[in-house]
Amino acid sequence: MALLVLVSAVPASLQFLLVLRATTWACLLCFTTYTERLGICRMFGVEGPKVDQCEEAFTGAFQGLSDMEINYEERSHLHDTFTQMTLSLQEEAAALGSFEVAFPAAAEKMKTAILQLKKVQPCIPPCGIQEVSRRFLCHGCYSTLCDLPLDCPVQDVRVSRGDQALFSCVVGFTLPEEEVTYSWSFAAGLRTRDASYFRDMPRARGYLARIRPVQPTHRGTFCCLIQHDQRPLARLYFFLNVTGPPPRGETELQVTFREVLRWAPRDAEMIEPWRPSLGELLTRPEALTLGNLALLAAVMAFASASATVLVWMFFRWYLSGD
């Protein structure tokens, strides 16, 4: 009741300023200066102590929600709109209008203009630096991004041994069109997001990664880092769990080799380069690569030169005896 009595005691023009709750008050302070607002008041013929009252009426007409968010890309457009508003107020002041009427009318026009701006794109969870969702906050005159972490949750991938594993480094939000790079790393045997366990995979490039055939040594967490102009946008994690026994034919072949060649079991799988013998080079045409042909020619030339030197030394020894 006391509030109603207080409001009823206020002049009608000021009551309108108090009731009006347009959403552009804080934006007015971002896109106009105190000097500009005082200059408009003076153009309306306000002088002396009443200038401050006019400036307060100006900002009061634009009071509203201070947490208003604007699409960051529309910031320059909004600045131009406020510039047009100040020009319109100057024209109205030159026409001997009243600021009590002009200010609320200008606030309503600005509110309509802001509602027509391109909307702020929503943040798409659960992760990522989403530049397309950057918004401008009028209550502090600054921009901000979505409050989402850079690291995405770990995705579990279950693949049978011998099959193919495919990882797709794709996010739900729109990425920049240019200068986007992908880099991959691997944490062997662990389901983790701790960067200290990962080792770079320099040969892996692009947003798709494929492993075939999958082996038990591939069990672990694969990480994909998306960057734009060397700035990280998101880190995706894929935990590969290899299931199932090895194929029967592979098991039997390993047992046969171990029995024939008496191989001892090894703790870790190791890939060794193939070094063919001379007989294999001569009997297997596919082994005669350019490198192997060059090596074979060098060996034959060395053997021929060695034989020539030995014959020459023998004859010198024989002749020296005579």
Side-chain angles (χ1 to χ4, degrees):
M1 181 64 69
L3 179 61
L4 294 176
V5 173
L6 178 62
V7 172
S8 62
V10 179
S13 60
L14 294 181
Q15 287 183 24
F16 180 79
L17 296 180
L18 293 175
V19 173
L20 179 64
R21 307 299 295 175
T23 61
T24 55
W25 169 72
C27 290
L28 176 70
L29 303 183
C30 293
F31 296 103
T32 62
T33 65
Y34 177 75
T35 303
E36 290 173 342
R37 295 191 294 272
L38 288 185
I40 292 176
C41 286
R42 290 192 174 96
M43 294 188 67
F44 276 101
V46 181
E47 297 293 342
K50 294 184 179 180
V51 173
D52 291 337
Q53 297 178 3
C54 175
E55 198 274 336
E56 292 177 0
F58 197 176
T59 57
F62 283 81
Q63 280 187 343
L65 302 177
S66 60
D67 58 348
M68 179 179 179
E69 298 179 350
I70 299 171
N71 191 312
Y72 187 76
E73 296 180 356
E74 297 288 340
R75 188 168 53 96
S76 58
H77 187 190
L78 184 59
H79 183 273
D80 296 339
T81 305
F82 269 99
T83 301
Q84 293 296 327
M85 180 205 70
T86 57
L87 294 175
S88 299
L89 288 176
Q90 292 174 4
E91 294 176 356
E92 192 163 349
L96 303 179
S98 171
F99 71 84
E100 288 91 349
V101 178
F103 291 162
E108 285 294 333
K109 291 180 180 179
M110 283 302 305
K111 181 178 180 180
T112 302
I114 288 179
L115 293 176
Q116 294 176 353
L117 295 176
K118 185 167 59 175
K119 303 301 181 182
V120 178
Q121 294 193 29
C123 299
I124 300 177
C127 58
I129 307 300
Q130 305 177 22
E131 189 66 34
V132 293
S133 300
R134 180 180 290 274
R135 66 278 319 276
F136 182 80
L137 305 180
C138 282
H139 75 270
C141 301
Y142 67 93
S143 66
T144 184
L145 291 171
C146 302
D147 188 17
L148 295 173
L150 177 69
D151 293 331
C152 301
V154 180
Q155 303 179 43
D156 290 286
V157 180
R158 186 180 297 270
V159 178
S160 299
R161 179 174 179 173
D163 291 345
Q164 172 179 281
L166 184 64
F167 309 116
S168 179
C169 191
V170 177
V171 292
F173 56 91
T174 304
L175 294 175
E177 296 181 358
E178 299 178 350
E179 298 182 357
V180 176
T181 59
Y182 301 85
S183 57
W184 292 83
S185 55
F186 177 59
L190 299 175
R191 189 184 192 277
T192 181
R193 293 193 300 178
D194 190 338
S196 62
Y197 291 104
F198 286 87
R199 299 295 179 266
D200 292 335
M201 303 172 62
R203 297 181 60 184
R205 289 291 182 267
Y207 71 96
L208 285 177
R210 181 174 59 183
I211 299 176
R212 60 177 183 181
V214 171
Q215 299 297 332
T217 54
H218 298 140
R219 180 182 181 276
T221 304
F222 293 82
C223 173
C224 172
L225 173 62
I226 306 176
Q227 291 181 298
H228 172 246
D229 194 19
Q230 299 184 347
R231 293 181 299 176
L233 298 182
R235 272 195 294 258
L236 283 72
Y237 298 89
F238 308 89
F239 175 68
L240 177 60
N241 191 8
V242 183
T243 62
R248 180 179 179 182
E250 178 182 344
T251 304
E252 294 177 351
L253 183 61
Q254 290 178 352
V255 172
T256 302
F257 277 145
R258 288 179 180 176
E259 290 179 351
V260 173
L261 303 178
R262 297 180 181 178
W263 283 359
R266 298 184 181 182
D267 295 333
E269 181 180 0
M270 180 177 297
I271 299 177
E272 298 181 353
W274 176 52
R275 297 183 177 90
S277 62
L278 179 61
E280 289 176 321
L281 288 175
L282 297 177
T283 58
R284 298 183 60 176
E286 66 273 11
L288 295 178
T289 62
L290 292 178
N292 290 335
L293 287 174
L295 179 62
L296 183 60
V299 172
M300 295 179 63
F302 178 76
S304 177
S306 300
T308 302
V309 171
L310 290 175
V311 171
W312 177 75
M313 292 179 65
F314 173 77
F315 275 102
R316 283 197 60 185
W317 173 79
Y318 181 78
L319 295 175
S320 63
D322 292 341

